[in-house]
Amino acid sequence: MITNLIQIVYVSQPFGFDEPTLAGILLDARRCNKRDDVTGALVCRDDIYLQLLEGPEGAVRAAYARISRDDRHARVKELLNRKIQTRLFANWAMLHDPAKTWIWTEEEIADAALDRAEPTEIIKVFNDLSDRSGKPAVH
Ligand SMILES: Cc1cc2nc3c(=O)[nH]c(=O)nc-3n(C[C@H](O)[C@H](O)[C@H](O)COP(=O)(O)O)c2cc1C
């Protein structure tokens, strides 16, 4: 059977951003994603989460629905939803990037830069991150 793979990217605003909260989120994400064959990356900073989820369509939609209801962040907004042939983060249950990849300043984010960003710009953030992530063991 051929599985339909999709990618969803969303942006949100952290609520109560600190190390224990982030560690808890990553624990939940990796546990569920390993179970559901979902992979992806979470770029984070105290003013923003930008997450890419990829995998079988039903599993990604279900994960996104759960994530949307999570009160550890607010103003969850879908930026991208597309079919894909191959994954960008095949080896990562959820790669965590503490905004090293970040191309927008806090001022730009506050000024809603992501609302104006083109899909190609958003995908570029994750392409660059994927290039730099190498081929590690499953995390
Ligand atoms: C920023 C953020 C990213 C998350 N990423 C994922 C994820 O990649 N996969 C996932 O299943 N849950 C993720 N979660 C956690 C879900 O919101 C939820 O707690 C988890 O899927 C367990 O769902 P359940 O409590 O309904 O069983 C994330 C939550 C936040 C706040």
Side-chain angles (χ1 to χ4, degrees):
M1 198 185 83
I2 298 168
T3 315
N4 268 334
L5 291 178
I6 66 161
Q7 247 171 14
I8 289 180
V9 176
Y10 74 83
V11 61
S12 69
Q13 203 170 48
F15 186 75
F17 186 81
D18 56 23
E19 280 302 319
T21 304
L22 186 59
I25 288 172
L26 287 170
L27 212 63
D28 285 345
R30 288 168 180 157
R31 174 176 51 82
C32 294
N33 292 350
K34 274 177 195 162
R35 176 193 68 198
D36 300 339
D37 192 26
V38 170
T39 54
L42 176 65
V43 182
C44 45
R45 200 170 61 194
D46 62 357
D47 61 331
I48 196 155
Y49 288 129
L50 181 70
Q51 188 175 28
L52 180 147
L53 300 159
E54 60 188 5
E57 184 167 1
V60 172
R61 285 191 193 286
Y64 182 61
R66 291 194 306 272
I67 292 167
S68 303
R69 291 191 297 265
D70 198 309
D71 59 11
R72 289 172 288 188
H73 59 175
R75 295 175 55 201
V76 178
K77 186 183 163 197
E78 190 176 300
L79 297 179
L80 207 95
N81 186 330
R82 61 173 192 168
K83 289 197 164 132
I84 51 165
Q85 300 299 323
T86 50
R87 299 179 191 235
L88 269 181
F89 298 97
N91 295 308
W92 294 91
M94 188 49 59
L95 172 62
H96 159 226
D97 181 56
K100 283 184 225 138
T101 314
W102 211 237
I103 60 172
W104 294 280
T105 63
E106 298 219 4
E107 289 71 26
E108 286 167 332
I109 292 301
D111 188 34
L114 276 177
D115 290 340
R116 297 187 299 271
E118 295 291 329
T120 48
E121 275 184 86
I122 290 163
I123 279 299
K124 187 175 181 312
V125 171
F126 290 103
N127 277 334
D128 291 350
L129 185 52
S130 172
D131 285 347
R132 286 208 318 273
S133 70
K135 296 275 178 282
V138 174
H139 274 244

